[in-house]
Amino acid sequence: MGDASLGRFALNDMQDKISEKQAHSVGYRAPSYGLFKTSLSPVYFYGIPRNVKAIGLSMDVDRFAGTRVDKDGNVERRLAFNRARGARLSAMKHLVPERIVA
């Protein structure tokens, strides 16, 4: 499941590069990290655990850092880009696990 966290970072990096061209900005992601984990519940057969069942998924990105500048030094445009990026990052937090399970 470690690939899920890496997949999320890769997906967001790709979308950042596409968005940067449209927003006339440039940015670089700093070292970032997060966890992707499953919750398991034992399945019993006559009181003996024989299997496990996945009961949930959790993705938690504790640090998603980077630096970004507008190519013309336009502070308002940089702030608008960062706001839109934040909303997209939150949406991707749900998309990646859903794609893995589906």
Side-chain angles (χ1 to χ4, degrees):
M1 291 289 176
D3 292 342
S5 290
L6 294 176
R8 179 178 184 266
F9 285 120
L11 181 61
N12 282 305
D13 287 347
M14 179 189 64
Q15 290 182 340
D16 278 349
K17 294 302 172 199
I18 293 168
S19 299
E20 285 170 359
K21 289 180 183 181
Q22 297 169 348
H24 200 63
S25 71
V26 64
Y28 298 96
R29 185 167 52 82
S32 304
Y33 57 90
L35 297 172
F36 182 80
K37 56 189 172 184
T38 59
S39 297
L40 302 175
S41 177
V43 177
Y44 294 93
F45 183 75
Y46 293 106
I48 300 170
R50 303 242 341 194
N51 207 344
V52 294
K53 180 172 79 171
I55 58 172
L57 300 172
S58 174
M59 182 175 278
D60 183 28
V61 177
D62 295 319
R63 180 170 175 80
F64 201 97
T67 185
R68 178 161 322 285
V69 295
D70 185 81
K71 290 181 180 178
D72 296 327
N74 186 320
V75 175
E76 292 300 318
R77 194 164 51 195
R78 179 179 57 87
L79 291 174
F81 180 90
N82 284 339
R83 283 188 205 102
R85 181 178 181 252
R88 180 175 41 81
L89 291 174
S90 292
M92 290 296 125
K93 204 175 199 182
H94 299 283
L95 179 67
V96 173
E98 289 172 5
R99 295 293 172 120
I100 290 172
V101 175

